[in-house]
Amino acid sequence: MKFNLKSIEALLNYRIVNQSLFEMALTHRSASNKNNERMEYLGDAVLDLVVAEDLYQRFPEADEGELSRMRASLVRGDTLAKLARAINIGDHLILGSGEMKSGGHRRSSILAGTIEALIGAIYLDSGFNASQAFVRHFYAGEYEELSLADALKDPKTRLQEYTQSRALPLPVYTIVSIVGEGHEQIFTAECVIDTLSQSVVRGKGGSRRKAEQEAAATMLERLGVDKTQS
């Protein structure tokens, strides 16, 4: 796809100085050896720093673990891909023919990596303050919805701590089915805890991780464990 300067500036709410940086940031490795992977690495580091500082300032009562869990939820691939879809960045990706045919412009991993690369491009184009401003604008909605409740341990961690504290066998997770193709796959995970009568439950999700987390959450509910405690 041909690079459209005005469209990219409008999507990013940013005035581009060096166009070639942003062409590279939108270029997937399937399209060229000169692609966005190095910028993705740089943007990932900038994103981590900006989000870490913002959370530190917004939640003075949060401890290190809570801040780390909130940051992880904000910078993970699923969140980045969701935000990328919100601004339709997939329509501007430069992909190889194979990725184009297989729907690469909708693939979460590609979308997430592209956003990180764009953050890296802004950093190289105008410095840290500009990239910080972009991240804060980009994440404005996510920040507004965030609370310390989001820092609670994930279901798999809480379930493991629950079983360990009661000398029970650790949960075992197995993917029992994968339905669909490509980015539309649905995973079904089974969670088993030996010796418990209610020891087998299942969860579904768009990835192995999500399915296992859903199964763990269901197991916690089955065991009557409060969501804030283990």
Side-chain angles (χ1 to χ4, degrees):
M1 179 171 291
K2 188 175 180 180
F3 183 86
N4 187 316
L5 177 63
K6 291 189 180 298
S7 294
I8 298 302
E9 286 184 332
L11 289 181
L12 301 180
N13 190 39
Y14 171 77
R15 183 70 177 271
I16 292 172
V17 178
N18 185 344
Q19 178 175 324
S20 63
L21 289 172
F22 293 82
E23 290 182 9
M24 186 175 291
L26 291 166
T27 301
H28 186 253
R29 64 183 178 185
S30 62
S32 173
N33 289 330
K34 294 182 178 180
N35 55 63
N36 63 10
E37 288 187 332
R38 281 169 54 84
M39 280 188 187
E40 181 180 336
Y41 158 80
L42 180 60
D44 175 66
V46 174
L47 176 63
D48 271 355
L49 176 57
V50 173
V51 170
E53 180 183 349
D54 288 346
L55 293 176
Y56 182 87
Q57 300 295 342
R58 282 172 173 264
F59 298 97
E61 70 278 23
D63 62 28
E64 179 187 4
E66 291 166 335
L67 290 170
S68 295
R69 286 189 286 274
M70 283 191 285
R71 182 182 62 183
S73 73
L74 288 171
V75 304
R76 67 187 180 189
D78 288 347
T79 302
L80 283 165
K82 179 186 75 172
L83 294 173
R85 292 187 181 99
I87 62 172
N88 296 316
I89 203 65
D91 294 343
H92 300 271
L93 296 178
I94 301 169
L95 303 169
S97 58
E99 281 294 348
M100 289 180 65
K101 291 177 182 177
S102 64
H105 64 288
R106 296 189 299 268
R107 188 164 297 126
S108 292
S109 59
I110 292 178
L111 291 171
T114 301
I115 292 298
E116 289 176 334
L118 287 167
I119 294 170
I122 293 172
Y123 175 82
L124 292 173
D125 198 45
S126 297
F128 179 75
N129 288 342
S131 55
Q132 181 184 55
F134 169 75
V135 170
R136 288 176 172 172
H137 174 76
F138 192 60
Y139 271 89
E142 298 297 307
Y143 282 160
E144 289 302 316
E145 295 177 2
L146 198 62
S147 71
L148 271 180
D150 296 289
L152 294 172
K153 295 175 184 176
D154 64 79
K156 286 183 68 175
T157 299
R158 287 189 283 116
L159 182 58
Q160 179 169 320
E161 290 181 354
Y162 175 88
T163 55
Q164 288 176 327
S165 69
R166 290 160 179 78
L168 295 170
L170 291 177
V172 176
Y173 299 91
T174 305
I175 299 298
V176 295
S177 72
I178 304 175
V179 179
E181 299 181 359
H183 63 285
E184 296 180 344
Q185 288 183 330
I186 299 297
F187 294 74
T188 299
E190 187 173 82
C191 174
V192 177
I193 300 177
D194 288 342
T195 75
L196 294 182
S197 60
Q198 62 272 63
S199 64
V200 182
V201 298
R202 290 186 174 185
K204 293 184 178 182
S207 67
R208 177 185 297 268
R209 177 184 177 280
K210 286 183 177 180
E212 291 178 350
Q213 294 287 9
E214 180 65 24
T218 301
M219 180 65 80
L220 287 168
E221 291 177 5
R222 184 79 64 85
L223 295 171
V225 181
D226 184 85
K227 70 177 184 177
T228 63
Q229 299 176 349
S230 59

